[in-house]
Amino acid sequence: MDSCKSIKKYFEKALDNELNEKELEIFNEHLTNCNKCQTEFLELLEVKHFMKDSNTIESNDTFLDNLWDKIEPELILAETKEKPNYFEIIKGFIFNNNRKIIQYSTAFAILFIGIFIGRYYLPEENKNLPITEQNIIADNSQNESIDLDVKPKENIDILKPTSQPNKVTYKTVSDDPAAKFVSRSKILLMGLVNFDPTTDDIDAINMQKQKEISRGLILQAADIKKKLTKPSQQQLKDLINDLEVILLQIANLESEYNLDGIDLVKDGVDKRNIFLKININEMQKTSSPKQKQEYKKSI
Amino acid sequence: METDEKQLILKAQNGNLQAFKMLVEQNKMNIYQLAYNLTRNKEDAEDVTQEVFIKAFRSISKFRGDSKFSTWLYRITVNTSLSLKKRYKIVDIKSEENMDLAYKSELNQNHSIEFNPEKLAESMFIKKHINNALSKLSKLEKTVFVLKNYDELNYDEIQTITNLKSGTLRSLNFRAIKKLQIALDIFSDRKKSEAVNG
């Protein structure tokens, strides 16, 4: 006899009358011999029938009879509404507002030039940062130590500016692209892992945004890993590899309401002990001045 | 799709109002019922029904005939019902006084119910608790439950309407039934207690 746990997987299909012949045979046999499952299933069936049979919709003949009269004016309006002639609008604007045209044109020209210069001279490492999150950079170059009691985003790194123009230095820990990547990935995963389909409304998760953020992070991962060449950075590199796999899963979720996909992501996070590895990574960065010094040197 | 309906749709797509009127007449009852089942409120159902047909007329040129015309209308109805809630201030439906007044007003307008105080009370009681039970469901769960059990659509049709996978739809429907079971358990306990106490 099949166990109760495996029979309960048939409940969904049984309620919808979608069991095939073989499944129905197994299902009926188990229910005949198991009072508990029989009771449970019959209660669910009763709920379904009760909701269906008790649902009454009062007739609304008055409304339905007059429906066309109510909507016809809107439909006629929709049909006859002319599209605006944008050429005429622009032409009139130009001829009536010469001075203003020149002022606005100048302003737009300056704006575009500024954007062009900014894009052309923008530093390489900032280009791939997701624009959905703020990057807060604390200018604490005069401080010589990291205060462990301060919250992580306020931590101050004591890397001194170097005279070598080619060496990349970070004024704060939060400047470190790898740390930012890990932090953002953690926030993204926590949102998904903490989602409980039995109690939470799936509409609360903006799946499209999660996928966009995942794609942005995946694009960054390759560049970040290239710069982690030292042996002491291998652990961080492995963590980024694991995160990449999970982020790929999220980015490839097929639809916005893919509960199975979310479960898959959760399993992946559990199996790879992602949060444990992230916590270890964070602890290593903030635990002792000696380790902080090593971290500075590694950068 | 029947040939008559196809021809009506083609004419409506060319701007023929009379053809569209016939489509409205053929589908208005089903759309109103679905709107009512989703909103559980007569006024909202009326608003949704009107909006559905106005939207349908504006975008009928986009209807390609991949699905039944009624399925396409159902899709608009579901989307309109879901967005309608955001515009309206959410009334505290747990307020017993508000519910009682609303139901009494609605039922008193329905002349088809034979005036019988006991039946009226029973009907109000059941309706109140069905609405309360349905309010425990998420928007998606309610939508899928209504389409599957009230409109008796199959999962393929519901998939066309909601763009959700059939596995997800089955899960949503099952979860809805389980949540309703919990909600109605409370209702049946209360009913027994009211029956005992009078």
Side-chain angles (χ1 to χ4, degrees):
Chain A
M1 191 174 81
D2 290 86
S3 69
C4 293
K5 197 177 174 183
S6 60
I7 282 298
K8 280 181 187 172
K9 290 179 187 173
Y10 286 166
F11 275 19
E12 254 180 54
K13 278 177 139 184
L15 285 170
D16 292 332
N17 294 321
E18 288 185 355
L19 292 173
N20 61 36
E21 215 174 290
K22 191 181 173 188
E23 287 169 340
L24 191 60
E25 198 184 316
I26 297 168
F27 186 71
N28 284 336
E29 192 193 331
H30 181 89
L31 256 59
T32 308
N33 297 313
C34 177
N35 281 334
K36 193 181 169 195
C37 287
Q38 189 188 101
T39 309
E40 203 175 317
F41 177 72
L42 288 176
E43 278 177 1
L44 290 172
L45 198 62
E46 196 185 334
V47 165
K48 185 185 155 181
H49 288 315
F50 173 78
M51 290 298 292
K52 202 171 162 180
D53 298 339
S54 306
N55 187 43
T56 52
I57 300 174
E58 289 86 18
S59 60
N60 199 345
D61 292 337
T62 316
F63 165 73
L64 291 173
D65 288 343
N66 297 325
L67 175 62
W68 180 254
D69 295 333
K70 287 188 179 182
I71 65 174
E72 193 182 11
E74 293 280 336
L75 303 184
I76 293 169
L77 196 66
E79 205 181 19
T80 58
K81 201 173 178 181
E82 283 182 50
K83 287 185 184 174
N85 186 338
Y86 293 111
F87 178 72
E88 290 297 328
I89 292 171
I90 293 167
K91 195 174 156 187
F93 184 74
I94 291 171
F95 281 113
N96 294 334
N97 297 284
N98 277 342
R99 192 175 168 185
K100 278 187 184 171
I101 293 291
I102 293 167
Q103 286 173 341
Y104 288 137
S105 303
T106 311
F108 276 120
I110 293 169
L111 187 65
F112 281 125
I113 291 167
I115 290 170
F116 177 76
I117 292 170
R119 283 173 70 90
Y120 185 77
Y121 286 108
L122 199 67
E124 192 65 38
E125 51 265 36
N126 287 340
K127 275 187 181 171
N128 290 329
L129 288 176
I131 58 172
T132 53
E133 295 183 36
Q134 291 178 348
N135 302 314
I136 301 169
I137 298 172
D139 184 8
N140 293 300
S141 53
Q142 291 181 3
N143 292 333
E144 296 293 323
S145 64
I146 295 177
D147 184 352
L148 291 176
D149 293 331
V150 173
K151 288 178 187 171
K153 65 178 178 181
E154 294 169 2
N155 274 356
I156 302 151
D157 195 337
I158 57 172
L159 286 173
K160 292 178 184 175
T162 174
S163 58
Q164 299 171 21
N166 291 331
K167 188 175 177 185
V168 175
T169 59
Y170 302 107
K171 287 186 180 178
T172 67
V173 170
S174 60
D175 273 351
D176 174 18
K180 269 186 189 169
F181 174 88
V182 169
S183 172
R184 286 177 185 142
S185 303
K186 180 182 172 184
I187 292 167
L188 178 73
L189 291 178
M190 278 173 70
L192 282 173
V193 163
N194 289 333
F195 168 71
D196 182 357
T198 57
T199 55
D200 298 336
D201 191 338
I202 195 166
D203 296 324
I205 291 185
N206 186 342
M207 208 62 231
Q208 199 54 42
K209 188 169 180 183
Q210 308 287 354
K211 286 167 70 170
E212 279 170 23
I213 295 172
S214 297
R215 286 187 205 112
L217 287 168
I218 291 164
L219 289 171
Q220 290 176 54
D223 284 338
I224 291 169
K225 283 192 293 184
K226 273 184 205 166
K227 291 173 185 168
L228 301 175
T229 53
K230 299 185 191 305
S232 58
Q233 295 171 317
Q234 187 57 43
Q235 202 174 9
L236 179 58
K237 201 171 172 181
D238 290 340
L239 170 59
I240 293 175
N241 278 332
D242 285 337
L243 285 169
E244 238 185 323
V245 170
I246 303 293
L247 291 169
L248 269 168
Q249 280 179 337
I250 296 170
N252 287 328
L253 287 174
E254 284 183 21
S255 69
E256 287 196 14
Y257 306 110
N258 190 342
L259 296 173
D260 294 338
I262 291 172
D263 284 342
L264 202 66
V265 168
K266 283 184 184 180
D267 281 344
V269 169
D270 281 340
K271 279 182 188 161
R272 290 171 189 272
N273 294 317
I274 296 288
F275 288 125
L276 177 63
K277 289 176 184 174
I278 291 174
N279 288 340
I280 290 171
N281 180 59
E282 284 170 358
M283 276 165 54
Q284 283 174 345
K285 284 185 183 167
T286 59
S287 54
S288 72
K290 192 177 176 182
Q291 284 179 332
K292 280 173 240 157
Q293 200 67 29
E294 280 180 19
Y295 171 72
K296 282 182 298 179
K297 285 177 185 169
S298 70
I299 302 296
Chain B
M1 210 186 309
E2 291 180 18
T3 317
D4 289 341
E5 193 181 66
K6 258 188 188 174
Q7 286 175 354
L8 285 174
I9 292 167
L10 273 168
K11 286 182 184 174
Q13 285 174 332
N14 288 326
N16 187 325
L17 265 183
Q18 288 308 309
F20 189 74
K21 184 179 178 182
M22 292 187 70
L23 290 169
V24 170
E25 296 300 320
Q26 286 173 5
N27 291 281
K28 63 185 180 183
M29 176 61 83
N30 289 339
I31 297 304
Y32 175 76
Q33 284 181 350
L34 175 59
Y36 183 87
N37 281 329
L38 290 173
T39 60
R40 310 304 298 177
N41 176 282
K42 193 174 149 196
E43 284 76 25
D44 287 347
E46 289 175 1
D47 288 344
V48 167
T49 306
Q50 288 180 61
E51 208 172 318
V52 164
F53 286 112
I54 293 168
K55 282 182 180 175
F57 183 75
R58 284 182 183 152
S59 55
I60 197 162
S61 54
K62 295 177 191 169
F63 177 69
R64 292 181 298 247
D66 298 338
S67 65
K68 286 194 284 187
F69 186 68
S70 57
T71 307
W72 185 67
L73 287 177
Y74 274 15
R75 187 173 181 163
I76 300 173
T77 309
V78 164
N79 289 337
T80 307
S81 300
L82 291 177
S83 60
L84 186 77
K85 284 291 183 188
K86 292 174 192 172
R87 297 204 310 258
Y88 281 70
K89 185 181 170 186
I90 296 170
V91 175
D92 179 12
I93 60 165
K94 291 178 186 172
S95 161
E96 294 283 335
E97 202 180 305
N98 283 344
M99 283 168 76
D100 283 338
L101 283 172
Y103 291 126
K104 278 179 186 164
S105 158
E106 205 166 313
L107 286 167
N108 280 339
Q109 287 171 26
N110 187 347
H111 303 293
S112 67
I113 294 180
E114 192 184 315
F115 184 66
N116 180 326
E118 280 177 21
K119 268 191 184 172
L120 190 69
E122 174 81 9
S123 185
M124 266 175 59
F125 188 79
I126 292 172
K127 183 173 174 173
K128 189 161 79 171
H129 287 282
I130 286 179
N131 283 356
N132 191 41
L134 285 171
S135 73
K136 304 293 182 201
L137 306 180
S138 72
K139 284 182 284 190
L140 275 181
E141 286 165 351
K142 187 160 80 173
T143 302
V144 175
F145 179 82
V146 161
L147 291 171
K148 179 68 186 156
N149 299 283
Y150 291 161
D151 293 279
E152 293 180 337
L153 301 181
N154 59 45
Y155 281 119
D156 288 336
E157 288 169 313
I158 301 175
Q159 193 171 357
T160 309
I161 293 168
T162 60
N163 265 348
L164 298 173
K165 280 185 171 176
S166 62
T168 307
L169 294 172
R170 284 182 168 81
S171 298
L172 285 168
N173 186 47
F174 187 63
R175 280 208 331 244
I177 294 172
K178 288 186 96 172
K179 278 189 183 179
L180 290 168
Q181 182 188 27
I182 295 167
L184 292 173
D185 265 350
I186 302 165
F187 147 61
S188 68
D189 287 343
R190 216 186 278 180
K191 195 178 176 188
K192 283 173 198 166
S193 133
E194 284 177 16
V196 165
N197 296 328

PDB file of all heavy atoms in Angstrom, chain A residues 74-92:
ATOM      1  N   GLU A  74     -18.680  56.046 -24.802  1.00  0.00           N
ATOM      2  CA  GLU A  74     -17.219  55.881 -24.674  1.00  0.00           C
ATOM      3  C   GLU A  74     -16.632  55.260 -25.926  1.00  0.00           C
ATOM      4  O   GLU A  74     -15.546  55.630 -26.375  1.00  0.00           O
ATOM      5  CB  GLU A  74     -16.895  54.966 -23.484  1.00  0.00           C
ATOM      6  CG  GLU A  74     -17.241  55.551 -22.140  1.00  0.00           C
ATOM      7  CD  GLU A  74     -16.209  56.533 -21.640  1.00  0.00           C
ATOM      8  OE1 GLU A  74     -15.042  56.450 -22.059  1.00  0.00           O
ATOM      9  OE2 GLU A  74     -16.579  57.408 -20.854  1.00  0.00           O
ATOM     10  N   LEU A  75     -17.367  54.311 -26.497  1.00  0.00           N
ATOM     11  CA  LEU A  75     -16.854  53.632 -27.678  1.00  0.00           C
ATOM     12  C   LEU A  75     -16.830  54.577 -28.876  1.00  0.00           C
ATOM     13  O   LEU A  75     -15.889  54.574 -29.674  1.00  0.00           O
ATOM     14  CB  LEU A  75     -17.712  52.395 -28.008  1.00  0.00           C
ATOM     15  CG  LEU A  75     -17.841  51.351 -26.898  1.00  0.00           C
ATOM     16  CD1 LEU A  75     -18.632  50.142 -27.395  1.00  0.00           C
ATOM     17  CD2 LEU A  75     -16.494  50.902 -26.397  1.00  0.00           C
ATOM     18  N   ILE A  76     -17.857  55.417 -28.966  1.00  0.00           N
ATOM     19  CA  ILE A  76     -17.916  56.374 -30.073  1.00  0.00           C
ATOM     20  C   ILE A  76     -16.782  57.378 -29.932  1.00  0.00           C
ATOM     21  O   ILE A  76     -16.113  57.734 -30.911  1.00  0.00           O
ATOM     22  CB  ILE A  76     -19.286  57.091 -30.114  1.00  0.00           C
ATOM     23  CG1 ILE A  76     -20.380  56.078 -30.484  1.00  0.00           C
ATOM     24  CG2 ILE A  76     -19.278  58.261 -31.095  1.00  0.00           C
ATOM     25  CD1 ILE A  76     -21.783  56.595 -30.306  1.00  0.00           C
ATOM     26  N   LEU A  77     -16.551  57.778 -28.702  1.00  0.00           N
ATOM     27  CA  LEU A  77     -15.453  58.719 -28.439  1.00  0.00           C
ATOM     28  C   LEU A  77     -14.118  58.105 -28.819  1.00  0.00           C
ATOM     29  O   LEU A  77     -13.272  58.756 -29.445  1.00  0.00           O
ATOM     30  CB  LEU A  77     -15.448  59.049 -26.933  1.00  0.00           C
ATOM     31  CG  LEU A  77     -14.634  60.277 -26.505  1.00  0.00           C
ATOM     32  CD1 LEU A  77     -15.270  61.534 -27.075  1.00  0.00           C
ATOM     33  CD2 LEU A  77     -14.578  60.351 -24.997  1.00  0.00           C
ATOM     34  N   ALA A  78     -13.958  56.871 -28.492  1.00  0.00           N
ATOM     35  CA  ALA A  78     -12.702  56.162 -28.810  1.00  0.00           C
ATOM     36  C   ALA A  78     -12.532  56.044 -30.322  1.00  0.00           C
ATOM     37  O   ALA A  78     -11.431  56.146 -30.847  1.00  0.00           O
ATOM     38  CB  ALA A  78     -12.697  54.771 -28.183  1.00  0.00           C
ATOM     39  N   GLU A  79     -13.649  55.870 -30.996  1.00  0.00           N
ATOM     40  CA  GLU A  79     -13.604  55.672 -32.446  1.00  0.00           C
ATOM     41  C   GLU A  79     -13.281  56.945 -33.180  1.00  0.00           C
ATOM     42  O   GLU A  79     -12.569  56.948 -34.188  1.00  0.00           O
ATOM     43  CB  GLU A  79     -14.978  55.153 -32.905  1.00  0.00           C
ATOM     44  CG  GLU A  79     -14.924  54.366 -34.178  1.00  0.00           C
ATOM     45  CD  GLU A  79     -16.320  53.912 -34.581  1.00  0.00           C
ATOM     46  OE1 GLU A  79     -17.299  54.495 -34.093  1.00  0.00           O
ATOM     47  OE2 GLU A  79     -16.418  52.996 -35.388  1.00  0.00           O
ATOM     48  N   THR A  80     -13.842  58.073 -32.697  1.00  0.00           N
ATOM     49  CA  THR A  80     -13.743  59.307 -33.460  1.00  0.00           C
ATOM     50  C   THR A  80     -12.614  60.204 -33.007  1.00  0.00           C
ATOM     51  O   THR A  80     -12.342  61.220 -33.631  1.00  0.00           O
ATOM     52  CB  THR A  80     -15.059  60.118 -33.359  1.00  0.00           C
ATOM     53  OG1 THR A  80     -15.307  60.367 -31.967  1.00  0.00           O
ATOM     54  CG2 THR A  80     -16.218  59.365 -33.956  1.00  0.00           C
ATOM     55  N   LYS A  81     -11.933  59.876 -31.939  1.00  0.00           N
ATOM     56  CA  LYS A  81     -10.861  60.726 -31.430  1.00  0.00           C
ATOM     57  C   LYS A  81      -9.768  60.816 -32.465  1.00  0.00           C
ATOM     58  O   LYS A  81      -9.223  59.829 -32.918  1.00  0.00           O
ATOM     59  CB  LYS A  81     -10.309  60.113 -30.148  1.00  0.00           C
ATOM     60  CG  LYS A  81      -9.576  61.093 -29.280  1.00  0.00           C
ATOM     61  CD  LYS A  81      -9.216  60.427 -27.964  1.00  0.00           C
ATOM     62  CE  LYS A  81      -8.445  61.369 -27.082  1.00  0.00           C
ATOM     63  NZ  LYS A  81      -8.066  60.749 -25.820  1.00  0.00           N
ATOM     64  N   GLU A  82      -9.416  62.118 -32.839  1.00  0.00           N
ATOM     65  CA  GLU A  82      -8.385  62.265 -33.866  1.00  0.00           C
ATOM     66  C   GLU A  82      -7.021  62.234 -33.223  1.00  0.00           C
ATOM     67  O   GLU A  82      -6.820  62.754 -32.132  1.00  0.00           O
ATOM     68  CB  GLU A  82      -8.571  63.605 -34.563  1.00  0.00           C
ATOM     69  CG  GLU A  82      -9.727  63.594 -35.555  1.00  0.00           C
ATOM     70  CD  GLU A  82      -9.837  64.924 -36.263  1.00  0.00           C
ATOM     71  OE1 GLU A  82      -8.807  65.396 -36.772  1.00  0.00           O
ATOM     72  OE2 GLU A  82     -10.933  65.490 -36.281  1.00  0.00           O
ATOM     73  N   LYS A  83      -6.071  61.697 -33.924  1.00  0.00           N
ATOM     74  CA  LYS A  83      -4.698  61.702 -33.429  1.00  0.00           C
ATOM     75  C   LYS A  83      -4.123  63.100 -33.640  1.00  0.00           C
ATOM     76  O   LYS A  83      -4.359  63.723 -34.666  1.00  0.00           O
ATOM     77  CB  LYS A  83      -3.857  60.685 -34.195  1.00  0.00           C
ATOM     78  CG  LYS A  83      -4.178  59.256 -33.809  1.00  0.00           C
ATOM     79  CD  LYS A  83      -3.256  58.295 -34.489  1.00  0.00           C
ATOM     80  CE  LYS A  83      -3.703  56.890 -34.136  1.00  0.00           C
ATOM     81  NZ  LYS A  83      -2.951  55.899 -34.859  1.00  0.00           N
ATOM     82  N   PRO A  84      -3.363  63.612 -32.682  1.00  0.00           N
ATOM     83  CA  PRO A  84      -2.812  64.963 -32.821  1.00  0.00           C
ATOM     84  C   PRO A  84      -1.761  65.016 -33.929  1.00  0.00           C
ATOM     85  O   PRO A  84      -1.034  64.054 -34.161  1.00  0.00           O
ATOM     86  CB  PRO A  84      -2.174  65.226 -31.452  1.00  0.00           C
ATOM     87  CG  PRO A  84      -1.973  63.898 -30.844  1.00  0.00           C
ATOM     88  CD  PRO A  84      -2.992  62.980 -31.424  1.00  0.00           C
ATOM     89  N   ASN A  85      -1.725  66.152 -34.621  1.00  0.00           N
ATOM     90  CA  ASN A  85      -0.748  66.325 -35.680  1.00  0.00           C
ATOM     91  C   ASN A  85       0.511  66.928 -35.054  1.00  0.00           C
ATOM     92  O   ASN A  85       0.594  68.141 -34.821  1.00  0.00           O
ATOM     93  CB  ASN A  85      -1.321  67.267 -36.765  1.00  0.00           C
ATOM     94  CG  ASN A  85      -0.390  67.344 -37.955  1.00  0.00           C
ATOM     95  OD1 ASN A  85       0.807  67.065 -37.858  1.00  0.00           O
ATOM     96  ND2 ASN A  85      -0.928  67.724 -39.094  1.00  0.00           N
ATOM     97  N   TYR A  86       1.453  66.071 -34.768  1.00  0.00           N
ATOM     98  CA  TYR A  86       2.624  66.521 -34.023  1.00  0.00           C
ATOM     99  C   TYR A  86       3.465  67.503 -34.819  1.00  0.00           C
ATOM    100  O   TYR A  86       4.053  68.422 -34.253  1.00  0.00           O
ATOM    101  CB  TYR A  86       3.464  65.308 -33.611  1.00  0.00           C
ATOM    102  CG  TYR A  86       2.757  64.429 -32.603  1.00  0.00           C
ATOM    103  CD1 TYR A  86       2.301  63.162 -32.940  1.00  0.00           C
ATOM    104  CD2 TYR A  86       2.511  64.890 -31.305  1.00  0.00           C
ATOM    105  CE1 TYR A  86       1.643  62.363 -32.019  1.00  0.00           C
ATOM    106  CE2 TYR A  86       1.848  64.097 -30.385  1.00  0.00           C
ATOM    107  CZ  TYR A  86       1.417  62.845 -30.752  1.00  0.00           C
ATOM    108  OH  TYR A  86       0.755  62.060 -29.845  1.00  0.00           O
ATOM    109  N   PHE A  87       3.487  67.374 -36.125  1.00  0.00           N
ATOM    110  CA  PHE A  87       4.257  68.297 -36.959  1.00  0.00           C
ATOM    111  C   PHE A  87       3.732  69.714 -36.817  1.00  0.00           C
ATOM    112  O   PHE A  87       4.494  70.666 -36.662  1.00  0.00           O
ATOM    113  CB  PHE A  87       4.215  67.842 -38.426  1.00  0.00           C
ATOM    114  CG  PHE A  87       4.951  68.774 -39.342  1.00  0.00           C
ATOM    115  CD1 PHE A  87       6.337  68.839 -39.331  1.00  0.00           C
ATOM    116  CD2 PHE A  87       4.259  69.605 -40.208  1.00  0.00           C
ATOM    117  CE1 PHE A  87       7.017  69.712 -40.160  1.00  0.00           C
ATOM    118  CE2 PHE A  87       4.931  70.479 -41.051  1.00  0.00           C
ATOM    119  CZ  PHE A  87       6.302  70.536 -41.026  1.00  0.00           C
ATOM    120  N   GLU A  88       2.423  69.851 -36.873  1.00  0.00           N
ATOM    121  CA  GLU A  88       1.815  71.180 -36.737  1.00  0.00           C
ATOM    122  C   GLU A  88       2.090  71.777 -35.360  1.00  0.00           C
ATOM    123  O   GLU A  88       2.344  72.980 -35.232  1.00  0.00           O
ATOM    124  CB  GLU A  88       0.288  71.082 -36.960  1.00  0.00           C
ATOM    125  CG  GLU A  88      -0.107  70.786 -38.395  1.00  0.00           C
ATOM    126  CD  GLU A  88       0.308  71.880 -39.355  1.00  0.00           C
ATOM    127  OE1 GLU A  88       0.337  73.068 -38.970  1.00  0.00           O
ATOM    128  OE2 GLU A  88       0.638  71.556 -40.507  1.00  0.00           O
ATOM    129  N   ILE A  89       2.049  70.913 -34.359  1.00  0.00           N
ATOM    130  CA  ILE A  89       2.290  71.385 -32.992  1.00  0.00           C
ATOM    131  C   ILE A  89       3.714  71.923 -32.868  1.00  0.00           C
ATOM    132  O   ILE A  89       3.952  73.017 -32.348  1.00  0.00           O
ATOM    133  CB  ILE A  89       2.050  70.251 -31.975  1.00  0.00           C
ATOM    134  CG1 ILE A  89       0.557  69.895 -31.927  1.00  0.00           C
ATOM    135  CG2 ILE A  89       2.523  70.661 -30.586  1.00  0.00           C
ATOM    136  CD1 ILE A  89       0.247  68.650 -31.133  1.00  0.00           C
ATOM    137  N   ILE A  90       4.656  71.166 -33.396  1.00  0.00           N
ATOM    138  CA  ILE A  90       6.061  71.574 -33.286  1.00  0.00           C
ATOM    139  C   ILE A  90       6.312  72.842 -34.103  1.00  0.00           C
ATOM    140  O   ILE A  90       6.972  73.787 -33.656  1.00  0.00           O
ATOM    141  CB  ILE A  90       6.992  70.430 -33.756  1.00  0.00           C
ATOM    142  CG1 ILE A  90       6.892  69.258 -32.768  1.00  0.00           C
ATOM    143  CG2 ILE A  90       8.432  70.896 -33.887  1.00  0.00           C
ATOM    144  CD1 ILE A  90       7.504  67.969 -33.263  1.00  0.00           C
ATOM    145  N   LYS A  91       5.718  72.862 -35.295  1.00  0.00           N
ATOM    146  CA  LYS A  91       5.880  74.031 -36.183  1.00  0.00           C
ATOM    147  C   LYS A  91       5.365  75.295 -35.502  1.00  0.00           C
ATOM    148  O   LYS A  91       6.026  76.341 -35.496  1.00  0.00           O
ATOM    149  CB  LYS A  91       5.094  73.751 -37.457  1.00  0.00           C
ATOM    150  CG  LYS A  91       5.418  74.660 -38.638  1.00  0.00           C
ATOM    151  CD  LYS A  91       4.651  74.147 -39.860  1.00  0.00           C
ATOM    152  CE  LYS A  91       4.443  75.267 -40.856  1.00  0.00           C
ATOM    153  NZ  LYS A  91       3.567  74.870 -41.963  1.00  0.00           N
ATOM    154  N   GLY A  92       4.176  75.197 -34.901  1.00  0.00           N
ATOM    155  CA  GLY A  92       3.595  76.359 -34.221  1.00  0.00           C
ATOM    156  C   GLY A  92       4.457  76.802 -33.055  1.00  0.00           C
ATOM    157  O   GLY A  92       4.674  77.993 -32.841  1.00  0.00           O
TER     158      GLY A  92
END
